[in-house]
């Protein structure tokens, strides 16, 4: 079989880790950048090891830049940026909207901003696709795929749990700020992520240092009530950390109690499981091995790349 035609795809830097994994797909991704390097227009920013197939394009040059497809990743890309920055002909190119999140306004009755049978709407979890009102837009699901360094493996020498949540203090109940605080009062827990200091956490850890950093902990804590399936949780599983978290959204299809971690809708019962993992490092290792097996089977980068190749092929056929 001949290799797929290499496409030039316009997209934005919306979620850095996701963009890095997306760049494993063997196409060229064009990233708009403005003079201020503002959010969404900051190109190859950050510490991730970007490949040569991510190419920055000044926003003022977009109208004269050739590409084959547009991949929107947030509402402003779709509702504002395309009309502000692209020519009419470019706006008629094959278009895909990648939705990273579940609906925020109402869990079941929120119409997606895209309602266009000529486009393709890609969800990152089956749960998200189920909850959005997708209207007339054809839907595909591409579950996450992640990479961790081969030497980043669980050792659990720190008898504490670790949570990774950005801006937990300001994002409040949806991200489980109260759940985290209540659990931290009962068992030793650390918090890392953007502005983690605002919640008494450690702070941000560079992407390149994160796998080895969290590998030292006894388990990964996922206190979030309503979210997509976080890349951080999957990366923790791939390293070999068991996951303890709320039994909500897509996570309930990923973690099996007693096999790869513990999920519950009662935070008090979760605290009891956390304490057992702190007291029993071998049990934590056993569950972590189960979590890693799930991640290798379901969230490997090879499957992710194949799925995206299929999406781009179908969208541009």
């Amino acid at each position: 079989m001949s290799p797929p035609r290499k496409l030039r795809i316009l997209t934005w830097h919306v979620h850095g880790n996701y963009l890095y994994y997306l760049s494993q797909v063997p196409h060229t991704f064009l990233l708009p950048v403005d003079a201020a390097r503002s959010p969404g227009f900051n190109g190859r920013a950050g510490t991730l090891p970007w490949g040569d197939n991510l190419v920055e394009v000044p926003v003022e040059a977009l109208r004269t830049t050739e590409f084959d497809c547009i991949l929107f990743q947030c509402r402003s890309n779709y509702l504002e940026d395309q009309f502000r920055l692209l020519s009419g002909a470019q706006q008629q190119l094959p278009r895909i909207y990648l939705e990273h999140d579940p609906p925020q306004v109402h869990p079941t009755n929120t119409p997606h901003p895209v309602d266009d049978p000529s486009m393709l709407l890609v969800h990152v979890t089956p749960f998200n696709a189920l909850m959005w009102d997708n209207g007339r837009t054809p839907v595909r699901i591409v579950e996450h795929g992640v990479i961790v360094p081969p030497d980043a493996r669980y050792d659990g020498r720190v008898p504490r749990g670790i949570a990774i949540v950005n801006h937990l203090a300001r994002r409040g109940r949806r991200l489980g700020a109260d759940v985290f605080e209540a659990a931290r009062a009962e068992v030793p827990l650390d918090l890392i992520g953007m502005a983690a200091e605002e919640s008494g956490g450690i702070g941000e850890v560079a992407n390149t240092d994160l796998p080895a950093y969290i590998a030292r902990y006894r388990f990964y804590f996922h206190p979030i009530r309503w979210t997509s399936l976080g890349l951080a949780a999957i990366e923790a599983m791939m390293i070999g950390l068991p996951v303890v978290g709320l039994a909500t959204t897509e996570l309930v299809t990923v973690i099996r109690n007693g096999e790869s971690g513990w999920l519950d809708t009662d935070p008090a019962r979760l605290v009891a499981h956390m304490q057992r993992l702190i007291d029993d490092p071998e049990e934590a290792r056993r569950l972590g091995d189960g979590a890693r097996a799930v991640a290798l089977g379901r969230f490997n980068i090879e499957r992710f790349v194949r799925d995206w190749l299929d999406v781009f092929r179908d969208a541009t056929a």
Side-chain angles (χ1 to χ4, degrees):
M1 180 181 295
S2 61
R5 178 172 69 95
K6 193 167 187 178
L7 300 173
R8 290 166 60 84
I9 300 160
L10 176 67
T11 194
W12 284 257
H13 184 154
V14 174
H15 296 288
N17 280 26
Y18 194 97
L19 181 62
Y20 172 68
Y21 295 135
L22 184 66
S23 72
Q24 307 309 304
V25 179
H27 292 310
T28 297
F29 296 91
L30 307 179
L31 305 178
V33 293
D34 60 17
R37 297 273 170 165
S38 55
F41 292 89
N42 55 347
R44 295 163 56 96
T47 61
L48 286 160
W50 305 115
D52 293 339
N53 64 329
L54 270 72
V55 178
E56 295 184 348
V57 180
V59 292
E60 58 270 18
L62 283 176
R63 288 176 183 264
T64 57
T65 299
E66 293 187 1
F67 46 89
D68 303 291
C69 177
I70 306 171
L71 177 63
F72 304 107
Q73 296 196 54
C74 68
R75 288 187 179 220
S76 61
N77 297 162
Y78 178 68
L79 298 176
E80 301 168 16
D81 296 337
Q82 67 166 321
F83 303 112
R84 180 171 60 91
L85 301 173
L86 305 181
S87 70
Q90 288 171 326
Q91 293 170 34
Q92 300 306 309
L93 289 170
R95 293 174 299 158
I96 303 166
Y97 191 109
L98 170 59
E99 177 55 68
H100 289 277
D101 297 306
Q104 303 297 305
V105 177
H106 187 283
T108 62
N109 297 345
T110 302
H112 197 273
V114 176
D115 184 20
D116 186 343
S118 71
M119 288 183 61
L120 193 59
L121 176 57
V122 176
H123 288 289
V124 298
T125 71
F127 180 88
N128 293 4
L130 174 70
M131 302 309 285
W132 277 104
D133 177 355
N134 299 298
R136 300 172 298 160
T137 315
V139 169
R140 295 280 284 272
I141 297 166
V142 177
E143 293 198 296
H144 291 313
V146 305
I147 308 168
V148 298
D151 58 345
R153 290 292 177 268
Y154 171 85
D155 68 32
R157 65 181 182 270
V158 176
R160 303 175 66 86
I162 184 72
I164 306 175
V165 186
N166 291 328
H167 301 290
L168 180 59
R170 73 182 70 168
R171 296 165 79 185
R173 280 179 54 83
R174 183 172 73 84
L175 275 293
D178 59 319
V179 175
F180 179 81
E181 288 299 332
R184 183 165 58 179
E186 301 291 332
V187 293
L189 289 172
D190 286 337
L191 173 69
I192 58 177
M194 297 178 186
E197 301 94 330
E198 297 174 3
S199 300
I202 293 170
E204 192 171 3
V205 176
N207 298 88
T208 51
D209 299 332
L210 194 60
Y213 189 93
I214 68 173
R216 305 171 303 146
Y217 284 83
R218 196 66 51 84
F219 61 87
Y220 181 88
F221 181 39
H222 192 271
I224 304 176
R225 286 182 171 88
W226 184 256
T227 185
S228 193
L229 182 60
L231 284 169
I234 299 171
E235 290 161 349
M237 293 172 65
M238 192 71 80
I239 293 166
L241 272 74
V243 174
V244 179
L246 295 178
T248 60
T249 67
E250 190 67 34
L251 193 63
V252 300
T253 73
V254 176
I255 299 301
R256 290 185 177 274
N257 285 349
E259 296 181 13
S260 48
W262 292 98
L263 301 181
D264 207 302
T265 53
D266 183 347
R269 286 197 287 264
L270 292 181
V271 165
H273 288 305
M274 290 186 229
Q275 189 60 61
R276 278 196 289 274
L277 295 179
I278 289 171
D279 294 340
D280 190 347
E282 290 309 310
E283 173 66 359
R285 182 178 296 277
R286 182 185 72 82
L287 294 178
D289 288 343
R292 176 167 159 76
V294 172
L296 288 170
R298 183 167 171 179
F299 302 113
N300 64 82
I301 197 67
E302 292 80 14
R303 190 233 79 234
F304 177 81
V305 168
R306 288 195 304 270
D307 287 355
W308 268 113
L309 284 172
D310 289 345
V311 167
F312 289 128
R313 182 198 63 221
D314 294 347
T316 59

